[in-house]
């Protein structure tokens, strides 16, 4: 078998990491902490982001087969847990879609009627319309999907992100009034407050996903040197961009008034109004909405294709294996759409748009953290059970280094998972019982579904054999 040439340079690897993680949609959530958001981001980078990057890099170079976390966890703990991990990744995206679509709907509202950004009925109609439209577009094939996503990266992240940062820095340098205190005391958050810790779990999602770049580890030029360099360099860039964008929002909007859904456009509107440039708000809002739609469109098909690859081992019923003439996993994408439709109904029953946004973000985070705990545990087990498997990149320190790195990541993920069941005080989520119960039921159902699907797959297989006989 011919080895793939090593073609990914340090620069390209850094760009892959940045494009996979950096998103302006998360900035309003972080901005709720004010100046102390910088401290929390730094802690999350050290105890969550970097362990993920190092561990996934070693696992990807040792087991470079298609499947990512499915292959790694399967090698460590067997097929069932391997499939559960890729199932968690698929589920992670399900509640994420309504949160991103709510951001798109709120952004679009700014171009014609800003008050609609807090209207629950408008949000629900827009979410369902945009999601099913994006599903239809992606069923046309990867060429269409890639064209939409390319447009989305430019107009959904780069342009609005730079605009917010530039206007924010100009605001600061012009000695305009600030809504936060920039001091040593305000830099340190009140970590003795449970509410502060609960909100910090929401920021974790802003730094999750770097394991996706690890699938390219075998193609990286000089991975022993370039991987750690790329990790630290991309971490610095992602941290810097996120910190500057978050501060730009926090400087001009009081933390208690920041909307997790429309905070980005609220900030741009305030900046443009201060500089007598409000006429540019509608076209900017439309560009951001279209760009974010392009980014979301990419994810609609990606996780489903990954799940279909794992399902080829017989984990899903035959009727979920279907693909159309363009190679798109039709059945899984339709199932995904049905689940998203039901989850989106939360916008009608929750007290506010922000509370719906937070609840869905929490469910997304919980599934992601479960997958990460499995990944960290698998990394430690494989280090001891299969030490002779060659890895192009190795976590520094051998077995002790892996135990320390993966152990820190596992402990951070576990603590964040437990805190995720506690509703934050400053967000009206209605009944605490409903909030915690929704998460518990959602996680239980999500975790049991692979077992149910495997049982159905076996039943269909037996029935098929009987029919042929």
């Amino acid at each position: 078998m011919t080895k793939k040439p090593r073609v990914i340079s340090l620069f390209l690897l850094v760009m892959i990491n940045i494009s996979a993680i950096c998103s302006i949609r998360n900035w309003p959530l972080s901005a709720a902490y004010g100046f102390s958001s910088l401290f929390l981001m730094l802690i999350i980078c050290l105890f969550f982001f970097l362990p993920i990057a190092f561990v996934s890099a070693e696992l990807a170079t040792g087991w470079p087969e298609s499947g990512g976390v499915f292959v790694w966890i399967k090698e460590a703990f067997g097929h069932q847990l391997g499939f559960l991990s890729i199932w968690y990744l698929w589920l992670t995206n399900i509640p994420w879609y309504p949160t991103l679509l709510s951001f798109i709907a709120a952004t679009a509202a700014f171009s014609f009627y800003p008050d609609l950004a807090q209207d629950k009925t408008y949000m629900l109609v827009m979410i369902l319309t945009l999601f099913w439209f994006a599903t239809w577009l992606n069923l046309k094939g990867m060429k269409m999907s890639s064209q939409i996503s390319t447009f989305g990266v430019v107009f959904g992240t780069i342009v609005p992100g730079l605009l917010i940062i530039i206007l924010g820095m100009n605001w600061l340098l012009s000695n305009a009034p600030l809504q936060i205190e920039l001091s040593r005391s305000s830099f340190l958050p009140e970590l003795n407050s449970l509410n502060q810790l609960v909100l910090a779990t929401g920021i974790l999602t802003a730094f999750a996903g770097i394991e996706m770049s690890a699938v390219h580890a075998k193609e990286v030029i000089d991975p022993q040197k370039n991987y750690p360099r790329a990790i630290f360099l991309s971490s610095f860039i992602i941290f810097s961009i996120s910190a500057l964008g978050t501060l730009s929002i926090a400087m001009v909007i009081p933390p208690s008034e920041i909307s997790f859904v429309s905070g980005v456009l609220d900030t741009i509107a305030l900046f443009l109004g201060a500089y007598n440039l409000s006429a540019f708000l509608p076209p900017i809002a439309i560009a951001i909405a279209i760009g974010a739609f392009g980014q979301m469109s990419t994810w609609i098909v990606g996780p489903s294709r990954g799940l279909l690859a794992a399902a080829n081992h017989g984990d899903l019923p035959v009727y979920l294996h279907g693909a159309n003439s363009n190679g798109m996993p039709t059945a899984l994408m339709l199932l995904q759409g049905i689940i998203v439709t039901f989850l989106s109904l939360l916008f009608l029953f929750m007290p506010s748009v922000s509370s719906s946004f937070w609840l869905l973000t929490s469910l997304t985070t919980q599934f992601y953290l479960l997958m990460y705990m499995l990944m960290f545990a698998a990394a430690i087990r494989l280090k001891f059970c299969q030490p002779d498997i060659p890895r192009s990149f190795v976590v520094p320190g051998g077995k002790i280094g892996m135990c320390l790195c993966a152990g820190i990541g596992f402990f951070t993920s576990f603590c964040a998972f437990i805190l995720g069941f506690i509703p934050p005080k400053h967000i009206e989520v209605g009944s605490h019982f409903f909030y915690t119960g929704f998460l518990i039921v959602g996680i239980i159902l999500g975790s049991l579904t692979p077992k149910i699907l495997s049982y159905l797959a076996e039943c269909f297989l037996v029935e098929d054999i009987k029919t042929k006989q």
Side-chain angles (χ1 to χ4, degrees):
M1 182 178 176
T2 305
K3 288 185 178 180
K4 290 183 179 180
R6 297 187 181 275
V7 295
I8 298 180
S9 64
L10 172 64
F11 174 78
L12 288 178
L13 190 58
V14 170
M15 292 298 103
I16 289 172
N17 289 337
I18 294 172
S19 63
I21 297 170
C22 205
S23 173
I24 65 171
R25 186 182 62 89
N26 298 303
W27 293 355
L29 182 60
S30 304
Y33 289 95
F35 190 38
S36 63
S37 60
L38 270 66
F39 178 84
L40 290 171
M41 287 181 184
L42 183 60
I43 294 298
I44 290 172
C45 279
L46 291 175
F47 293 96
F48 182 71
F49 181 54
L50 291 181
I52 293 172
F54 277 109
V55 167
S56 59
E58 175 166 331
L59 292 174
T61 56
W63 292 268
E65 300 94 334
S66 175
V69 294
F70 166 69
V71 173
W72 308 337
I73 295 170
K74 183 189 71 172
E75 286 289 327
F77 300 118
H79 183 86
Q80 287 191 345
L81 282 181
F83 183 75
L84 182 62
S85 66
I86 196 67
W87 178 258
Y88 280 147
L89 270 184
W90 187 71
L91 285 179
T92 292
N93 287 277
I94 300 298
W96 174 78
Y97 294 126
T99 64
L100 179 59
L101 286 163
S102 65
F103 168 78
I104 296 171
T107 302
F110 267 83
S111 64
F112 57 91
Y113 193 64
D115 289 345
L116 281 176
Q118 300 303 322
D119 187 285
K120 294 186 285 187
T121 303
Y122 161 79
M123 297 298 288
L124 177 63
V125 172
M126 285 293 289
I127 286 170
L128 296 182
T129 302
L130 290 171
F131 183 83
W132 283 106
F133 178 60
T135 299
W136 176 73
L137 286 177
N138 276 276
L139 287 172
K140 293 181 176 294
M142 285 305 298
K143 183 177 180 181
M144 172 67 75
S145 179
S146 61
Q147 289 174 344
I148 297 172
S149 63
T150 300
F151 183 85
V153 167
V154 176
F155 290 96
T157 299
I158 297 176
V159 172
L162 289 177
L163 178 64
I164 290 174
I165 291 172
I166 292 171
L167 291 175
M169 293 306 100
N170 185 69
W171 184 276
L172 180 63
L173 294 174
S174 64
N175 294 319
L178 303 179
Q179 298 295 334
I180 58 174
E181 179 187 351
L182 301 178
S183 65
R184 182 182 300 177
S185 59
S186 61
F187 177 71
L188 297 175
E190 297 178 10
L191 294 180
N192 59 329
S193 169
L194 187 61
N195 186 55
Q196 289 281 340
L197 291 173
V198 169
L199 273 173
T201 61
I203 302 180
L204 286 174
T205 56
F207 292 92
I210 199 171
E211 73 280 354
M212 288 188 294
S213 70
V215 299
H216 306 294
K218 282 288 187 181
E219 301 169 53
V220 175
I221 300 170
D222 195 2
Q224 286 290 348
K225 290 184 178 179
N226 284 338
Y227 238 108
R229 289 174 180 173
I231 288 169
F232 285 112
L233 184 57
S234 58
S235 297
F236 174 77
I237 295 173
I238 292 169
F239 174 81
S240 299
I241 293 175
S242 300
L244 292 174
T246 296
L247 280 180
S248 296
I249 295 174
M251 285 190 304
V252 296
I253 301 179
S256 59
E257 298 178 15
I258 294 175
S259 169
F260 295 159
V261 176
S262 60
V264 171
L265 260 295
D266 290 336
T267 303
I268 292 178
L270 194 150
F271 283 140
L272 294 179
Y275 300 125
N276 297 317
L277 298 173
S278 296
F280 290 98
L281 181 60
I284 291 174
I286 292 173
I288 293 175
I290 295 174
F293 175 82
Q295 289 179 304
M296 182 274 300
S297 179
T298 306
W299 286 94
I300 279 184
V301 65
S304 293
R305 286 171 70 98
L307 183 61
L308 183 61
N312 288 333
H313 292 80
D315 294 279
L316 294 178
V318 176
Y319 61 82
L320 289 178
H321 289 205
N324 63 12
S325 58
N326 296 317
M328 296 293 104
T330 311
L332 283 172
M333 290 174 68
L334 292 177
L335 175 63
Q336 176 178 260
I338 293 171
I339 299 174
V340 168
T341 299
F342 279 105
L343 281 177
S344 299
L345 294 176
L346 279 173
F347 281 84
L348 292 179
F349 298 105
M350 292 297 288
S352 66
V353 170
S354 284
S355 61
S356 303
F357 184 95
W358 175 264
L359 183 57
L360 290 171
T361 299
S362 296
L363 187 58
T364 298
T365 304
Q366 296 298 75
F367 282 128
Y368 226 143
L369 291 172
L370 285 170
M371 186 279 295
Y372 278 133
M373 284 189 276
L374 284 172
M375 186 187 80
F376 287 127
I380 295 174
R381 180 173 174 79
L382 290 173
K383 193 71 171 181
F384 285 87
C385 295
Q386 300 187 36
D388 298 328
I389 295 292
R391 287 105 154 150
S392 299
F393 173 83
V394 178
V395 173
K399 293 180 180 179
I400 295 176
M402 174 59 80
C403 288
L404 183 63
C405 183
I408 290 173
F410 184 93
F411 180 74
T412 303
S413 301
F414 177 77
C415 291
F417 179 78
I418 298 300
L419 288 170
F421 291 103
I422 304 172
K425 290 182 179 179
H426 83 290
I427 301 175
E428 185 185 358
V429 294
S431 168
H432 286 199
F433 176 79
F434 169 78
Y435 179 89
T436 305
F438 177 84
L439 293 180
I440 292 174
V441 171
I443 291 169
I444 292 175
L445 289 177
S447 300
L448 291 179
T449 301
K451 276 284 187 183
I452 297 171
L453 292 175
S454 294
Y455 173 76
L456 292 175
E458 291 176 5
C459 291
F460 275 90
L461 180 60
V462 171
E463 190 66 31
D464 185 55
I465 292 173
K466 288 181 178 179
T467 302
K468 291 180 179 179
Q469 289 177 343

